[in-house]
Amino acid sequence: MAAPDPLYLLPTPAGAWIASAEAAADRLRAFIRLLLAQPVSPPWRDPDDLFVRRLGQLGWVQFLAAPRRVSQAPFDDALRSYLPALSAKGSALLADAHGFHLASTGFSDSAAEALAALSADLASLHDRHRRSLNQNLGLSGSAWAMPDAAGHSQLAFWPLHVGEHRFALVTAGVPHLNQPELVDLVWLLHQRYGPLASRTHLSAGTTAG
């Protein structure tokens, strides 16, 4: 009997966010990060693999009929192509931990520079108050937002951790993070900066742990 055609594993937008929102490591995040370290979505041939099935049930991993490859476009061009879909206004930027913007769309150059610098200051502020926010207030996560009087987001700052690197995704207006472009963005960052990108790739049926 011929072996069934494999499915191919790729994080969902929720999975890409979970893997990047915090630097903390656990088995679930480690597996998703390992997927993001692959330049091509790896095959999965074991429907009895309960760990991977559980990730699918959680909505963190999707099963594709055909493999997908990370963008082969120039890095800067690829980044800019993903950003508009992540904001209702089409205005978003990506900054590094030092407050330099790597790519932006919908913002003037001066606004992008100011927002990138602000993202670094907010990250530093959050780090100083992390213990109080987590333990005393019971708040998790490290995203910050500037709402209007009705509580709607005007600006939001989303941390993206890739290995030892921290980035900030800044969105204007209502964020649209549940988009394939978030997966593509995080995948591209892992290919460029992730500690696992150049190491052994997943084989069929492999799981973490």
Side-chain angles (χ1 to χ4, degrees):
M1 181 180 295
D5 292 337
L7 297 174
Y8 297 85
L9 302 179
L10 189 69
T12 62
W17 169 248
I18 287 293
S20 305
E22 298 286 344
D26 55 39
R27 189 186 181 204
L28 300 180
R29 287 186 173 90
F31 184 77
I32 296 173
R33 291 167 184 167
L34 192 55
L35 291 181
L36 293 166
Q38 316 304 311
V40 180
S41 50
W44 180 67
R45 293 186 172 91
D46 185 3
D48 295 323
D49 188 331
L50 297 181
F51 177 74
V52 175
R53 287 176 57 186
R54 177 60 174 161
L55 289 179
Q57 291 168 358
L58 290 170
W60 291 3
V61 167
Q62 55 187 310
F63 304 91
L64 308 177
R68 279 192 56 196
R69 176 178 290 276
V70 73
S71 175
Q72 302 298 294
F75 182 71
D76 293 347
D77 293 344
L79 286 182
R80 282 192 292 271
S81 72
Y82 300 144
L83 291 174
L86 304 179
S87 157
K89 293 185 175 181
S91 298
L93 69 85
L94 185 74
D96 66 15
H98 304 289
F100 296 102
H101 81 277
L102 304 178
S104 65
T105 180
F107 294 113
S108 67
D109 289 344
S110 59
E113 291 175 2
L115 290 172
L118 177 57
S119 73
D121 289 343
L122 285 175
S124 177
L125 173 68
H126 184 87
D127 286 343
R128 292 198 302 272
H129 296 276
R130 181 188 299 272
R131 182 182 300 273
S132 176
L133 290 170
N134 290 351
Q135 295 184 359
N136 297 340
L137 297 177
L139 299 175
S140 60
S142 53
W144 288 77
M146 182 181 297
D148 60 21
H152 302 136
S153 176
Q154 299 180 90
L155 278 173
F157 298 79
W158 310 91
L160 297 175
H161 296 269
V162 178
E164 297 180 353
H165 301 273
R166 178 178 52 76
F167 302 91
L169 172 65
V170 184
T171 57
V174 177
H176 286 175
L177 299 190
N178 192 28
Q179 301 294 323
E181 285 81 2
L182 181 65
V183 179
D184 293 331
L185 174 65
V186 174
W187 195 7
L188 189 65
L189 290 176
H190 273 265
Q191 290 296 304
R192 177 96 171 205
Y193 300 102
L196 301 176
S198 62
R199 300 184 183 180
T200 303
H201 287 178
L202 284 173
S203 60
T206 299
T207 60

PDB file of all heavy atoms in Angstrom, residues 171-183:
ATOM      1  N   THR A 171       1.779  49.267  14.801  1.00  0.00           N
ATOM      2  CA  THR A 171       0.631  49.347  13.896  1.00  0.00           C
ATOM      3  C   THR A 171      -0.213  50.568  14.235  1.00  0.00           C
ATOM      4  O   THR A 171      -0.381  50.904  15.400  1.00  0.00           O
ATOM      5  CB  THR A 171      -0.248  48.087  13.986  1.00  0.00           C
ATOM      6  OG1 THR A 171      -0.683  47.897  15.338  1.00  0.00           O
ATOM      7  CG2 THR A 171       0.531  46.853  13.540  1.00  0.00           C
ATOM      8  N   ALA A 172      -0.757  51.212  13.221  1.00  0.00           N
ATOM      9  CA  ALA A 172      -1.645  52.354  13.403  1.00  0.00           C
ATOM     10  C   ALA A 172      -3.080  51.906  13.194  1.00  0.00           C
ATOM     11  O   ALA A 172      -3.378  51.110  12.293  1.00  0.00           O
ATOM     12  CB  ALA A 172      -1.295  53.468  12.417  1.00  0.00           C
ATOM     13  N   GLY A 173      -3.984  52.392  14.044  1.00  0.00           N
ATOM     14  CA  GLY A 173      -5.383  52.000  13.929  1.00  0.00           C
ATOM     15  C   GLY A 173      -5.603  50.594  14.453  1.00  0.00           C
ATOM     16  O   GLY A 173      -4.812  50.058  15.231  1.00  0.00           O
ATOM     17  N   VAL A 174      -6.688  49.984  14.024  1.00  0.00           N
ATOM     18  CA  VAL A 174      -7.022  48.636  14.478  1.00  0.00           C
ATOM     19  C   VAL A 174      -5.984  47.653  13.945  1.00  0.00           C
ATOM     20  O   VAL A 174      -5.743  47.603  12.732  1.00  0.00           O
ATOM     21  CB  VAL A 174      -8.427  48.224  13.991  1.00  0.00           C
ATOM     22  CG1 VAL A 174      -8.740  46.795  14.401  1.00  0.00           C
ATOM     23  CG2 VAL A 174      -9.465  49.190  14.551  1.00  0.00           C
ATOM     24  N   PRO A 175      -5.345  46.871  14.808  1.00  0.00           N
ATOM     25  CA  PRO A 175      -4.363  45.890  14.316  1.00  0.00           C
ATOM     26  C   PRO A 175      -5.047  44.719  13.637  1.00  0.00           C
ATOM     27  O   PRO A 175      -6.129  44.290  14.043  1.00  0.00           O
ATOM     28  CB  PRO A 175      -3.639  45.445  15.594  1.00  0.00           C
ATOM     29  CG  PRO A 175      -4.631  45.686  16.688  1.00  0.00           C
ATOM     30  CD  PRO A 175      -5.434  46.882  16.283  1.00  0.00           C
ATOM     31  N   HIS A 176      -4.414  44.205  12.598  1.00  0.00           N
ATOM     32  CA  HIS A 176      -4.904  43.037  11.873  1.00  0.00           C
ATOM     33  C   HIS A 176      -3.818  41.961  11.907  1.00  0.00           C
ATOM     34  O   HIS A 176      -3.218  41.637  10.879  1.00  0.00           O
ATOM     35  CB  HIS A 176      -5.245  43.400  10.429  1.00  0.00           C
ATOM     36  CG  HIS A 176      -6.488  44.186  10.266  1.00  0.00           C
ATOM     37  ND1 HIS A 176      -6.923  44.694   9.051  1.00  0.00           N
ATOM     38  CD2 HIS A 176      -7.433  44.579  11.170  1.00  0.00           C
ATOM     39  CE1 HIS A 176      -8.061  45.345   9.213  1.00  0.00           C
ATOM     40  NE2 HIS A 176      -8.390  45.295  10.494  1.00  0.00           N
ATOM     41  N   LEU A 177      -3.582  41.433  13.095  1.00  0.00           N
ATOM     42  CA  LEU A 177      -2.490  40.477  13.231  1.00  0.00           C
ATOM     43  C   LEU A 177      -2.873  39.068  12.805  1.00  0.00           C
ATOM     44  O   LEU A 177      -1.986  38.239  12.582  1.00  0.00           O
ATOM     45  CB  LEU A 177      -1.980  40.456  14.675  1.00  0.00           C
ATOM     46  CG  LEU A 177      -1.421  41.778  15.217  1.00  0.00           C
ATOM     47  CD1 LEU A 177      -0.738  41.542  16.553  1.00  0.00           C
ATOM     48  CD2 LEU A 177      -0.462  42.423  14.219  1.00  0.00           C
ATOM     49  N   ASN A 178      -4.155  38.781  12.677  1.00  0.00           N
ATOM     50  CA  ASN A 178      -4.579  37.437  12.276  1.00  0.00           C
ATOM     51  C   ASN A 178      -4.563  37.308  10.752  1.00  0.00           C
ATOM     52  O   ASN A 178      -5.569  36.994  10.108  1.00  0.00           O
ATOM     53  CB  ASN A 178      -5.972  37.126  12.824  1.00  0.00           C
ATOM     54  CG  ASN A 178      -6.332  35.655  12.692  1.00  0.00           C
ATOM     55  OD1 ASN A 178      -5.450  34.799  12.683  1.00  0.00           O
ATOM     56  ND2 ASN A 178      -7.608  35.362  12.568  1.00  0.00           N
ATOM     57  N   GLN A 179      -3.381  37.566  10.200  1.00  0.00           N
ATOM     58  CA  GLN A 179      -3.209  37.561   8.760  1.00  0.00           C
ATOM     59  C   GLN A 179      -2.017  36.685   8.374  1.00  0.00           C
ATOM     60  O   GLN A 179      -1.049  36.572   9.132  1.00  0.00           O
ATOM     61  CB  GLN A 179      -2.965  38.987   8.239  1.00  0.00           C
ATOM     62  CG  GLN A 179      -4.071  39.978   8.531  1.00  0.00           C
ATOM     63  CD  GLN A 179      -5.357  39.649   7.819  1.00  0.00           C
ATOM     64  OE1 GLN A 179      -5.331  39.189   6.676  1.00  0.00           O
ATOM     65  NE2 GLN A 179      -6.487  39.870   8.477  1.00  0.00           N
ATOM     66  N   PRO A 180      -2.046  36.073   7.187  1.00  0.00           N
ATOM     67  CA  PRO A 180      -0.894  35.274   6.744  1.00  0.00           C
ATOM     68  C   PRO A 180       0.401  36.079   6.725  1.00  0.00           C
ATOM     69  O   PRO A 180       1.490  35.520   6.898  1.00  0.00           O
ATOM     70  CB  PRO A 180      -1.289  34.818   5.338  1.00  0.00           C
ATOM     71  CG  PRO A 180      -2.776  34.917   5.291  1.00  0.00           C
ATOM     72  CD  PRO A 180      -3.144  36.051   6.208  1.00  0.00           C
ATOM     73  N   GLU A 181       0.289  37.390   6.518  1.00  0.00           N
ATOM     74  CA  GLU A 181       1.492  38.221   6.445  1.00  0.00           C
ATOM     75  C   GLU A 181       2.256  38.246   7.764  1.00  0.00           C
ATOM     76  O   GLU A 181       3.474  38.450   7.765  1.00  0.00           O
ATOM     77  CB  GLU A 181       1.123  39.649   6.028  1.00  0.00           C
ATOM     78  CG  GLU A 181       0.786  39.814   4.563  1.00  0.00           C
ATOM     79  CD  GLU A 181      -0.642  39.403   4.215  1.00  0.00           C
ATOM     80  OE1 GLU A 181      -1.410  39.014   5.129  1.00  0.00           O
ATOM     81  OE2 GLU A 181      -1.014  39.495   3.025  1.00  0.00           O
ATOM     82  N   LEU A 182       1.554  38.043   8.898  1.00  0.00           N
ATOM     83  CA  LEU A 182       2.281  37.975  10.164  1.00  0.00           C
ATOM     84  C   LEU A 182       3.162  36.727  10.188  1.00  0.00           C
ATOM     85  O   LEU A 182       4.318  36.789  10.650  1.00  0.00           O
ATOM     86  CB  LEU A 182       1.321  37.968  11.348  1.00  0.00           C
ATOM     87  CG  LEU A 182       2.024  37.922  12.719  1.00  0.00           C
ATOM     88  CD1 LEU A 182       2.826  39.189  12.958  1.00  0.00           C
ATOM     89  CD2 LEU A 182       1.025  37.705  13.847  1.00  0.00           C
ATOM     90  N   VAL A 183       2.643  35.611   9.717  1.00  0.00           N
ATOM     91  CA  VAL A 183       3.452  34.394   9.631  1.00  0.00           C
ATOM     92  C   VAL A 183       4.664  34.643   8.736  1.00  0.00           C
ATOM     93  O   VAL A 183       5.808  34.307   9.090  1.00  0.00           O
ATOM     94  CB  VAL A 183       2.625  33.221   9.087  1.00  0.00           C
ATOM     95  CG1 VAL A 183       3.482  31.966   8.966  1.00  0.00           C
ATOM     96  CG2 VAL A 183       1.415  32.955   9.973  1.00  0.00           C
TER      97      VAL A 183
END
